[in-house]
Amino acid sequence: MDLKRWALGGALLISAGTLANCSQIFEATGAGGEGITTAMLVGADGDGANWISHGRTYSEQRYSPLDAVNRENVGQLGLAWYADMDTARGQEATPLVIDGKLYLTTAWSKVKAFDATTGKPLWEYDPKVPGETAVKACCDVVNRGLAAWGDKLFFGTLDGRLIALNRDTGAVAWEKVTVDQSKSYTITGAPRVIDGKVIIGNGGAEFGVRGFVAAYDANSGEQLWKFYTVPEGGDPKDAPAYLQKAAETWNMDVLGASDAIGGGGTVWDSMAYDPDLDLLYIGVGNGSPWNRAYRSPGKDGTGEGDNLYLSSIVAVRPKTGEYVWHYQTTPGETWDYTATQHIMLADMEIDGAMRKVLMQAPKNGFFYVIDRETGKFLSAKPYVSVNWATGIDPKTGRPIENPETRVDKTGKPAVVTPGALGGHNWHPMAYSPTENLVYIPAFEAGMMYAPEADWKPDTARGFNVGFNLGAGDLPPDGGFRKQVAGTLKGMLVAWDPVAQKPRWTVEHPGPWNGGLLATGGGLVFQGTTGSEFNAYDAANGKKLWSFAAQTGVVAPPVTYTVNGEQYVAVLAGWGGAYALSVDGDLINRKAPVRNISRLLVFKLGGAAKLPPEPALADLPLDPPPSTAAPEVIAVGQLKYGRYCAVCHAPGAVGSTVLPDLRRAGSLESAAAWNAVVEGGALKDNGMASFKGSLTKQEIEAIRAYVIKRANEDKAIEGTKRVARK
Ligand code: CA
């Protein structure tokens, strides 16, 4: 882009208050020369040609004013080019587009650069994340994207590094380890840059870590500040005031008493920034462990306390990391109800007054509108079916809980909606200022929470949540399974944030559909579980265009122009938490959802063709006979739930992303099985050794359990067509 001309155009489009702010920043950083500047990031809304930060603008609206592709002509949209990825895991990234070049991250934290018009590869960078890091990741080895500043690009790696690359060459400018790598921290989220500070959080709240977000100097990689979201445990007298306040809401004797009770509260995805208020908003995750009775027990052993700042939106000063305000969506969370979901800023008229609001549809199923100057609760209504609370008290902003679902207190299992994957997960929403609608990639998938009796943390590895994740296994009954699959719902909800109700809804074949893009052409773009990439009318949800993507699409699209021609790009490839946890052959009810990882780029009249879709294979289930004693199988089931289910699916039903253990060759031989699970024979592929967490007997019990499950499913399934590799 013409930088001088753009800076002027951008400046004209931003408010007077912001402009004053910008001129100060110009002086402070000496920006205005090469590369991405604060003025560009603040004025990104006026730069339709490019997509220079994760949510396109600091407000994270994912709305592009581009209208060359619109309601009238979207039927002529065709494939301009595509690029196959060299990973076959979940693809969740938002590409950045700067001056006709497209940059993206893929699974395993790799980075690739392309000519945005032709697809010609320009460079690629592989940070060589060790394969066994996968065991630290709750939700696939995904990465959601890059940040740009000056002549550099920034991204986090699964093993906790923050890396700066030269944008022209892909050469490493600096690299910094941001986490204690002896613990199960991972980075999957995209950094943001504010005034030359690169802000990045991390994940790991299923594995006992203590959450934080930190800022690094964009030029040197030096750490500038670090903001913890939960107290350290023990005596808080030397902690900052906001953590002393938080300490009153925790059992401080238990918190931090073990490496596996770090409290959680990880900042693994959403951030937004208001340059006028100079506030950075961060979304804070769930408690670690989930079960509050183990995380923060009261006198009678049941869970106690709000446990700040879990499941909260927190406003901090980006210069210093100073706490300003918080709003907690789920006090005393115990269901994995993160508030890390997309945070979006907008100004809108509510009850006759213009309000600066912050909006979020966190996992807990309520859509929140918050005053972003003060953190004051304005309104909330359920955007999906919810049974854990009957509503939010408008005076206190606190949920009105259903005691039947307060599983940490009762100790009794309960089926709760939403489940641990939420009513909405990381998949970005989008906003249309002309319709004043927020588009939500929502879904319904309840879950049974069965507190694990006498749970003990494992400080080394495994899902440390305090619930028995094997307890909700479905019985080996094909009809019943189809029935349960039939209760799973996925939908695109067009939500009116003022009226707090849907204006229209599009049903999808199942949960876990793609992130969203809204455009000035009156369109909403979304990929689906049904392996389509679609365009809908932003006003009424009418499907106007559809492309057969051959794969589930979960990532959000972007749009840009080069030489005046508009493109729409989306990274396709099925994966992530839900994809790993369900029977991939059942979810969309027509055909297995497969992973074909590929960047798809469209333009009007595009005439490129994808290669033919690979054929499905007939793969009979052919396990050895199940001969183990029931008590051995029971041990195997419990251990499988804790150590295996999160990647290989509850009940060992097998996803379409990772190996189906019921079909594993090593099932035939105790020695071969042990070589993988204890010996780490496949660690470079992502299957770490579980030595130290599982005994030889337990490893053999897991094999017995999987053999039993395979025989049950053989009886109900017979041979079916599957998409597994
Ligand atoms: Ca979680």
Side-chain angles (χ1 to χ4, degrees), residues 643-658:
Y643 291 98
C644 317
V646 62
C647 289
H648 293 283
V653 291
S655 71
T656 50
V657 182
L658 287 180

Side-chain angles (χ1 to χ4, degrees), residues 98-140:
I98 303 168
D99 294 343
K101 292 172 185 167
L102 185 149
Y103 309 92
L104 57 77
T105 57
T106 74
W108 292 110
S109 327
K110 297 182 185 186
V111 188
K112 294 177 193 299
F114 300 93
D115 179 298
T117 58
T118 64
K120 183 184 157 211
L122 300 175
W123 54 259
E124 55 185 20
Y125 175 73
D126 179 358
K128 297 200 170 16
V129 171
E132 56 195 312
T133 311
V135 78
K136 297 180 172 185
C138 68
C139 307
D140 206 349

Side-chain angles (χ1 to χ4, degrees), residues 47-103:
D47 176 21
N50 294 296
W51 191 291
I52 62 172
S53 77
H54 190 61
R56 204 182 85 85
T57 56
Y58 274 140
S59 64
E60 307 273 331
Q61 290 182 355
R62 291 181 180 264
Y63 169 80
S64 166
L66 295 181
D67 60 2
V69 178
N70 54 49
R71 286 183 178 102
E72 280 68 44
N73 63 17
V74 67
Q76 296 155 36
L77 202 60
L79 193 64
W81 58 272
Y82 66 91
D84 287 323
M85 297 295 121
D86 56 356
T87 54
R89 300 289 293 265
Q91 306 294 348
E92 299 187 351
T94 299
L96 297 185
V97 182
I98 303 168
D99 294 343
K101 292 172 185 167
L102 185 149
Y103 309 92

Side-chain angles (χ1 to χ4, degrees), residues 261-572:
I261 306 185
T266 50
V267 184
W268 56 261
D269 196 53
S270 69
M271 290 185 249
Y273 175 58
D274 183 322
D276 285 330
L277 299 172
D278 193 32
L279 288 176
L280 165 69
Y281 307 99
I282 59 169
V284 183
N286 57 278
S288 195
W290 294 355
N291 190 333
R292 189 180 56 161
Y294 291 117
R295 184 179 73 235
S296 185
K299 285 194 186 66
D300 61 356
T302 63
E304 198 171 273
D306 285 355
N307 294 182
L308 289 171
Y309 296 90
L310 298 182
S311 306
S312 299
I313 296 155
V314 183
V316 300
R317 290 278 171 231
K319 268 191 189 61
T320 57
E322 178 198 353
Y323 165 94
V324 180
W325 60 253
H326 78 276
Y327 173 77
Q328 189 173 40
T329 60
T330 312
E333 97 81 21
T334 200
W335 308 273
D336 191 17
Y337 282 170
T338 62
T340 45
Q341 282 54 55
H342 188 172
I343 293 173
M344 182 190 281
L345 314 181
D347 297 349
M348 60 187 64
E349 193 178 318
I350 298 174
D351 295 333
M354 280 305 283
R355 302 295 293 248
K356 290 173 185 288
V357 306
L358 175 157
M359 298 179 285
Q360 191 188 50
K363 275 191 188 175
N364 77 12
F366 288 90
F367 186 92
Y368 291 84
V369 180
I370 308 280
D371 182 318
R372 71 172 182 271
E373 291 191 78
T374 61
K376 186 176 176 284
F377 171 86
L378 295 178
S379 63
K381 284 284 188 256
Y383 62 90
V384 288
S385 301
V386 167
N387 79 348
W388 73 278
T390 55
I392 310 296
D393 183 319
K395 285 217 172 60
T396 62
R398 290 179 71 92
I400 304 154
E401 273 189 29
N402 168 8
E404 296 296 311
T405 59
R406 193 21 108 168
V407 279
D408 67 314
K409 193 158 268 177
T410 63
K412 287 201 294 265
V415 175
V416 186
T417 53
L421 289 171
H424 166 223
N425 206 287
W426 62 270
H427 313 76
M429 310 186 294
Y431 176 69
S432 166
T434 52
E435 303 293 334
N436 197 25
L437 285 174
V438 178
Y439 304 97
I440 314 170
F443 57 93
E444 297 197 352
M447 177 173 148
M448 187 168 91
Y449 293 74
E452 186 175 333
D454 304 318
W455 175 80
K456 295 278 178 300
D458 181 342
T459 57
R461 62 186 74 75
F463 238 46
N464 271 288
V465 297
F467 289 102
N468 177 356
L469 297 176
D473 283 5
L474 297 178
D477 175 332
F480 183 74
R481 286 215 198 143
K482 282 206 178 74
Q483 228 179 314
V484 171
T487 67
L488 301 170
K489 286 185 189 163
M491 53 268 187
L492 164 56
V493 179
W495 189 264
D496 179 335
V498 178
Q500 282 283 23
K501 61 181 187 189
R503 195 174 299 163
W504 51 261
T505 298
V506 172
E507 300 274 341
H508 290 316
W512 212 249
N513 299 282
L516 292 160
L517 164 70
T519 73
L523 298 170
V524 174
F525 287 91
Q526 186 183 30
T528 74
T529 304
S531 300
E532 293 179 343
F533 182 58
N534 296 333
Y536 303 92
D537 188 318
N540 55 33
K542 189 174 171 225
K543 194 200 275 190
L544 300 176
W545 173 82
S546 183
F547 178 82
Q550 303 185 353
T551 175
V553 181
V554 294
V558 299
T559 188
Y560 57 91
T561 62
V562 184
N563 300 325
E565 190 160 37
Q566 185 181 352
Y567 296 80
V568 176
V570 68
L571 186 55

